[in-house]
């Protein structure tokens, strides 16, 4: 019977809720350049890399082509400074309910745990949230070719951990992330709204609802 060897967790929206801070930092920058964004627009930035998010904001404001590559990098850096300042206050209390229990159960079963986030700030968050001891590997999105929805981030985790993608489970809250997991040939656990997560193999409303036995039995079907 096919067994699961690696769980690859997305960060924002699965382990902790940092999307509000991403949103506020982008809103701050967007206002500086005369673009208005709201929370519903922010849904389109979930799981999307920093520079790709900026491109979506510029397109939204009709400003595509207005900035050079270097100027865009500077804008993205400014957003990141504001974001990092905001999340620097994160502590264990910012973990979603049930995350540590889930990690402990996976470890008991000998299943490895990786973080497959689009965020370059994932290592910092892992430290602040106090979950470093459970994590076997954190993908550095700068070391992979393409961001989500491309499969690269998830494939990198499998490659470094020496696990065949068909023995991996990915957990995501964003449409782009579920697409990335499926493109990697992995089993996808979706967190959140079943409409948004429609391509996932199994869906739970929140991280605390993830039932490992249910995931493993569905995985083997
Ligand atoms: P950074 P995830 C993603 O995290 C966020 O959902 C997305 O809004 C953000 O732009 C992206 O990380 C990059 O983050 O600017 O910190 O490198 O959901 O893939 O964990
Ligand atoms: Mg996410």
């Amino acid at each position: 019977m096919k067994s699961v060897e690696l769980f690859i967790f997305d960060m924002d929206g699965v382990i902790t809720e940092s999307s509000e801070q991403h949103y506020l930092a982008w809103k701050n920058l967007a206002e500086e350049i005369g673009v208005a964004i709201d929370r519903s627009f922010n849904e389109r930035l979930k799981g999307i890399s920093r520079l790709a998010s900026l491109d979506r904001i510029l397109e939204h404001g009709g400003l595509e082509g207005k900035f050079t590559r270097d100027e865009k990098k500077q804008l993205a850096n400014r957003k990141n400074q504001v974001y990092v300042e905001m999340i620097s206050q994160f502590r264990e209390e910012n973990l979603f309910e049930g995350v540590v229990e889930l990690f402990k159960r996976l470890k008991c079963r000998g299943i490895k745990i990786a973080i497959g986030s689009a965020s370059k700030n994932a290592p910092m968050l892992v430290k602040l949230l106090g979950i470093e001891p459970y994590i076997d590997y954190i993908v550095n999105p700068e070391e992979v070719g393409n961001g989500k929805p491309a499969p690269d981030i998830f494939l990198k985790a499998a490659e470094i951990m020496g696990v065949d993608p068909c023995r991996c489970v990915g957990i995501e809250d964003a449409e782009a992330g579920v697409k990335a997991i499926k493109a990697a040939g992995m089993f996808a656990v979706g967190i959140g709204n079943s409409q948004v997560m429609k391509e996932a193999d199994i869906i739970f409303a929140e991280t605390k609802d993830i039932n490992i036995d249910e995931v493993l039995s569905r995985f083997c079907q």
Side-chain angles (χ1 to χ4, degrees):
M1 197 170 64
K2 200 171 69 158
S3 62
V4 177
E5 294 178 18
L6 174 65
F7 266 54
I8 307 167
F9 287 84
D10 173 50
M11 172 72 76
D12 175 33
V14 170
I15 287 177
T16 188
E17 188 55 285
S18 40
S19 70
E20 180 68 8
Q21 286 73 17
H22 277 298
Y23 167 62
L24 294 173
W26 277 129
K27 191 173 167 57
N28 185 59
L29 183 95
E31 273 167 11
E32 268 183 43
I33 55 173
V35 180
I37 62 168
D38 57 17
R39 284 193 169 76
S40 115
F41 174 81
N42 189 54
E43 291 301 306
R44 293 175 47 203
L45 305 182
K46 288 188 177 175
I48 303 298
S49 78
R50 201 179 301 167
L51 279 173
S53 297
L54 176 60
D55 279 337
R56 286 195 180 186
I57 291 169
L58 294 177
E59 193 189 325
H60 180 67
L63 296 179
E64 61 271 65
K66 176 148 194 280
F67 299 98
T68 64
R69 231 175 104 94
D70 281 350
E71 285 169 339
K72 285 205 273 187
K73 273 191 185 160
Q74 282 168 23
L75 292 173
N77 284 343
R78 287 228 296 279
K79 176 266 173 177
N80 191 53
Q81 279 166 11
V82 175
Y83 172 72
V84 167
E85 174 63 30
M86 287 175 174
I87 58 165
S88 64
Q89 305 304 321
F90 271 38
R91 295 289 173 266
E92 244 170 273
E93 296 77 67
N94 292 91
L95 273 177
F96 280 142
E97 202 185 325
V99 171
V100 169
E101 291 75 6
L102 187 59
F103 285 171
K104 283 183 178 163
R105 273 188 233 128
L106 291 171
K107 289 283 159 191
C108 278
R109 290 169 188 257
I111 297 173
K112 294 182 183 117
I113 300 171
I115 301 290
S117 169
S119 176
K120 296 175 192 171
N121 294 300
M124 183 175 104
L125 271 175
V126 163
K127 269 200 191 120
L128 290 171
L129 296 168
I131 51 172
E132 235 181 344
Y134 302 101
I135 310 299
D136 297 290
Y137 178 65
I138 305 172
V139 176
N140 177 354
E142 285 185 288
E143 287 175 3
V144 304
N146 298 298
K148 302 168 187 178
D152 307 31
I153 287 178
F154 289 93
L155 289 175
K156 183 76 175 178
E159 181 201 326
I160 297 291
M161 297 310 297
V163 177
D164 194 305
C166 75
R167 293 183 185 278
C168 296
V169 170
I171 302 101
E172 264 288 350
D173 71 309
E175 200 178 353
V178 172
K179 283 188 191 303
I181 296 170
K182 295 313 296 172
M186 298 176 183
F187 185 90
V189 175
I191 302 296
N193 183 301
S194 53
Q195 274 307 101
V196 183
M197 292 290 107
K198 56 184 183 297
E199 290 179 46
D201 296 298
I202 188 168
I203 302 164
F204 297 99
E206 294 179 43
T207 304
K208 69 174 165 50
D209 303 321
I210 296 176
N211 179 324
I212 299 177
D213 290 324
E214 217 179 317
V215 173
L216 298 184
S217 84
R218 197 72 74 81
F219 178 89
C220 291
Q221 276 171 14

